[in-house]
Amino acid sequence: KASAMMYSLIETAKANDLEPYAYLRRVFAQLPLCETVEDIEKLLPENMKAAVI
């Protein structure tokens, strides 16, 4: 189940023109700082811009 979620994140990052490795590095760096659901939703691939990563 966990590998399916990871694969889904990677493929969604690709679909949103994000480089998967850079995207995941950004997510894993920012995730511990999230305090609300909205903070976590900002980390979803469709809510991130390639320039931010």
Side-chain angles (χ1 to χ4, degrees):
K1 187 172 178 176
S3 60
M5 286 187 272
M6 184 65 75
Y7 182 75
S8 178
L9 273 178
I10 290 170
E11 290 303 314
T12 305
K14 288 180 188 177
N16 284 280
D17 298 321
L18 301 174
E19 197 282 311
Y21 180 71
Y23 167 72
L24 290 175
R25 285 185 56 206
R26 172 79 178 204
V27 168
F28 291 138
Q30 295 296 317
L31 198 55
L33 306 174
C34 293
E35 296 181 356
T36 65
V37 173
E38 290 80 18
D39 291 341
I40 295 171
E41 288 175 346
K42 289 177 187 173
L43 297 177
L44 293 174
E46 57 268 15
N47 296 331
M48 295 190 95
K49 304 273 189 254
V52 174
I53 299 174

